[in-house]
Structures are given as C-alpha cells and as structure tokens.
Amino acid sequence: MDTEQDKQDKQDYESDARPVLEGPDIARVLTRIAHEIVERAKGADDVVLLGIPTRGVFLARRLAVKLAEITGRGIPVGSLDITMYRDDLRMHPPRALARTEIPADGIDGRLVVLVDDVLFSGRTIRAALDALNDIGRPRAVQLAVLVDRGHRELPIRADYVGKNLPTSLRETVKVQLAEEDGRDTVLLGAKRTSTGGEQ
C-alpha cells in the first residue's frame, strides 16, 4: 500500500518524466517480438513464456496472446519469482514473495523465453537463471524485454528488445501497464526517491 509520500513522489516523477513509449507503441513492439520469437524458434512449438513479476508477467501474458494469434495454438505462460535469488536481499527491506507458476507440462527440454519490462544491470536476469535452474532443465533460455536501458554489470543481453533506450545513471525508466497501473506507458525521468516500477 502506497503511503501519502509515495503517492506524492509518484505524482512528482510523472509530472517531470517524458513518455518514450505509449500504449500503441507497446502493442506494436510486442507484436514484433512475437513474430521474432516464431521466426527464431521455427514455429514456437516448444516455447514456454515465463514472466518476471510484476510487469514481466503481464507482458508475458500479452505475448502469449499474440503468439497464439500468429501460430493458431495456445502458448504455455507462467511466472518466475526471483526474490530469494537476488544478490541484494540483505541490502533492502524484506519484500513480499511473488508467485512462481510453471505450466503443467514443465520446462524440461523446452525453449524458455524469460520476459521482463526493463533490462538494466543484468542482476535480475542472473537471479532468474538461478531460479530456473532449481525448477528444471530447459533446452535453451532466451530473454525478451520491453526496454533495454544499458549499464550492464554482468555479461547478459536480451534476444528480443522492444526499445533500446540509452540512459544516464541519473535517469530512471518507469514502465506502467494497464493491468497494474491503469495505463500503458514507458516514462524516462530524473532519478529521485524510488517508486514502484522504476529501474
């Protein structure tokens, strides 16, 4: 639950930030990513989408719908909570665990596409790979992100990128999705006190 200060910080941030993607842009890049997945996976027969909570899960579900439209069949989709695999757990207050939901047929021997909203340092994805390792053995793992903002600290790159967005470390990227925030947009603004969805 947001405090009054959290709400004020969020309003201040949104008034100063500029949109770099709006709803139609997000829909368009997700359609493009879906087509790229089908092309690279040669039909997406064994693809499983796993979203990283919170907004990565919503993006994975949207991608699954687009993949179903292209291929004519349902694409398994789930979520992968990485909370206990993060390397910064002791540096932050305790956070609530999200849900890990693996499709009924599992991930063994499948092509798993991890889905997240923003790729930044790469540490979230490293944690996701560790979490995945405890669940099963995929044939291969790929990464789809809505925004790649650079500043990698680990040798990790995305296979599918909605938008490459050069940023400075004094800036922050905030993804808002209708399922969580009531609207679809990606905002770029000056870094200030942290609010949800910023990276």
Side-chain angles (χ1 to χ4, degrees), residues 1-8 10 94 96 180 194-196:
M1 192 76 174
D2 286 347
T3 65
E4 286 305 314
Q5 184 60 51
D6 289 335
K7 290 176 183 171
Q8 185 59 53
K10 186 174 178 182
E180 178 80 4
S194 177
T195 61

Side-chain angles (χ1 to χ4, degrees), residues 117-139:
D117 54 354
V118 179
L119 179 57
F120 185 19
S121 69
R123 294 183 180 276
T124 294
I125 304 307
R126 182 207 58 79
L129 292 171
D130 287 347
L132 204 57
N133 192 50
D134 282 351
I135 292 167
R137 185 177 171 82
R139 172 176 68 77

Side-chain angles (χ1 to χ4, degrees), residues 8 13 32-33 56 58 81 101 106 112 165 175:
Q8 185 59 53
Y13 176 84
R32 173 172 52 77
I33 288 172
F58 301 132
D81 178 44
E101 294 179 354
V112 171
L165 185 62
V175 173

